[in-house]
Amino acid sequence: MRKILITGALGQIGSELVMYMRNIYGNENVIASNITADGSKKVLESGPFEIVNVLNPQQIADAVNKYKVNTIVHLASILSAVGEANPVAAWNLNMGGLFNVLEVAKENGCSVFTPSSIAAFGPSTPKDKTPQDTVQRPSTMYGITKVSGELLCDYYFKRFNVDVRGVRFPGLISYETLPGGGTTDYAVHIYYEAIKNKKYTSYIKEGTYMDMMYMPDALEAIVKLIEADPKRLKHRNAFNVTSMSFEPEEIAREIKKHIPEFVMDYDVDPIRQGIADSWPNSLDDSAAREEWDWNPKYDLAAMTKDMLEKLSVKLGK
Ligand code: SER
């Protein structure tokens, strides 16, 4: 039986992954942890919760020992835009947190899942249908921590036989908890503003393509890869995964089909635009499809319909 510790459990992914995993593995078998107890009441009230600062290895080890954890899902991380504003904090948290998790996993025989990102690619990476194995020279601190993290995860598997697995997530779109300061966040904010004000000012320029994914597909990807038959895995970490690739005009057009009055204009943020320009337009995720049957369900149309329905209820509109 899996006993799973999730770090960063009150963040954008964690707050939904905890509930999704509790449904599959049982409430008592999924231990949510976070640096503070601020966030989703559902997470805090439906099963075990521990304060864990991933920069404190003893706190991670204590939670692992207390609940006899055998699987750690490590989500605590600083995203791309916040990372550019605070590169020292991004390096310290993203590298230090992952290193501590891998050490605790090695000492306690745990397997690990941790996400990398499209940010692990850079300006010299092939932009379209970006291959699984290709040039990775990112130009952001966040991306540097993601490539280094991918290498560190491979190292712990090869050197210490820690079963570490992971995917390169694209921009994740969800309605439960807001993302914590990434470049792809515009594709979340646009839905909130469409419902609240029927208009949105995009900080990303027209024509800028980035990979995206709706949260239900992301949750399924995590569990599918954790449960995948290791004999089929040629890669372990950093699988390219994507559901769709779009630019601001395309998401705006899709929203207009549901909210005809919706209008969008632009006030481009040079920092986040620069980050977006350094990332791929679209990933090739055939390795994930071949090795563990990755098969996303939501495209832009299906996601937009569901997001607008769910967010309207949430925002009382
Ligand atoms: N959504 C993330 C970001 O924009 C990508 O990993 O930072």
Side-chain angles (χ1 to χ4, degrees):
M1 180 39 103
R2 279 196 194 277
K3 278 272 184 182
I4 303 162
L5 174 69
I6 302 183
T7 72
L10 297 176
Q12 187 197 11
I13 304 175
S15 60
E16 296 201 41
L17 184 65
V18 170
M19 303 313 293
Y20 183 78
M21 286 187 139
R22 283 184 175 158
N23 202 24
I24 296 171
Y25 299 102
N27 288 5
E28 295 309 308
N29 296 323
V30 179
I31 296 89
S33 76
N34 205 68
I35 191 167
T36 66
D38 287 342
S40 164
K41 277 213 160 44
K42 278 191 274 185
V43 167
L44 295 167
E45 289 168 4
S46 61
F49 176 82
E50 295 287 329
I51 293 285
V52 172
N53 177 350
V54 293
L55 291 179
N56 182 337
Q58 195 56 49
Q59 283 184 356
I60 308 170
D62 287 347
V64 163
N65 291 323
K66 178 171 171 188
Y67 295 96
K68 306 207 174 349
V69 164
N70 53 29
T71 306
I72 305 175
V73 177
H74 175 50
L75 302 175
S77 167
I78 287 180
L79 289 182
S80 60
V82 174
E84 281 318 282
N86 303 285
V88 173
W91 175 265
N92 285 339
L93 178 69
N94 294 5
M95 295 317 301
L98 178 60
F99 176 74
N100 290 338
V101 164
L102 290 169
E103 273 295 305
V104 170
K106 183 185 85 180
E107 294 305 318
N108 293 276
C110 300
S111 60
V112 175
F113 175 93
T114 195
S116 181
S117 160
I118 51 172
F121 297 115
S124 52
T125 300
K127 279 221 165 296
D128 297 300
K129 286 275 160 210
T130 302
Q132 174 66 41
D133 302 305
T134 187
V135 179
Q136 289 182 264
R137 311 264 319 154
S139 50
T140 63
M141 179 55 92
Y142 176 66
I144 290 167
T145 68
K146 287 295 169 185
V147 179
S148 310
E150 291 179 3
L151 296 173
L152 201 58
C153 290
D154 281 342
Y155 180 80
Y156 270 73
F157 172 60
K158 288 199 190 102
R159 178 76 208 272
F160 304 119
N161 207 27
V162 179
D163 184 357
V164 194
R165 304 180 187 191
V167 297
R168 293 185 183 123
F169 273 135
L172 295 181
I173 293 156
S174 64
Y175 55 85
E176 279 284 340
T177 305
L178 284 167
T183 301
T184 55
D185 297 12
Y186 92 89
V188 177
H189 299 156
I190 193 171
Y191 289 110
Y192 278 80
E193 293 306 310
I195 290 171
K196 287 197 281 198
N197 302 317
K198 304 199 178 347
K199 61 178 187 341
Y200 179 64
T201 301
S202 175
Y203 60 79
I204 292 292
K205 196 162 67 187
E206 177 177 0
T208 310
Y209 281 87
M210 285 185 278
D211 286 285
M212 302 280 177
M213 184 182 296
Y214 196 31
M215 188 61 83
D217 280 327
L219 303 178
E220 201 181 307
I222 294 172
V223 171
K224 252 189 164 166
L225 180 54
I226 287 177
E227 297 297 348
D229 178 357
K231 291 199 278 299
R232 285 182 64 195
L233 299 181
K234 294 191 203 93
H235 300 83
R236 283 249 149 198
N237 294 294
F239 280 97
N240 284 1
V241 286
T242 184
S243 299
M244 61 193 99
S245 165
F246 56 75
E247 54 91 31
E249 289 296 313
E250 290 173 6
I251 184 171
R253 259 201 309 277
E254 202 56 46
I255 291 172
K256 261 177 183 289
K257 290 183 190 165
H258 303 267
I259 306 173
E261 319 89 280
F262 177 68
V263 288
M264 183 170 69
D265 61 6
Y266 293 89
D267 181 10
V268 172
D269 167 18
I271 304 263
R272 285 176 289 185
Q273 184 62 41
I275 297 174
D277 287 339
S278 77
W279 290 354
N281 296 333
S282 67
L283 298 185
D284 173 354
D285 60 4
S286 49
R289 289 173 186 269
E290 278 158 30
E291 295 175 40
W292 49 276
D293 305 321
W294 161 242
N295 184 20
K297 295 186 179 61
Y298 286 89
D299 60 9
L300 177 58
M303 173 178 79
T304 299
K305 183 170 177 290
D306 200 62
M307 265 303 271
L308 291 174
E309 276 169 20
K310 300 276 171 43
L311 256 189
S312 301
V313 174
K314 179 175 170 175
L315 300 174
K317 296 279 180 179

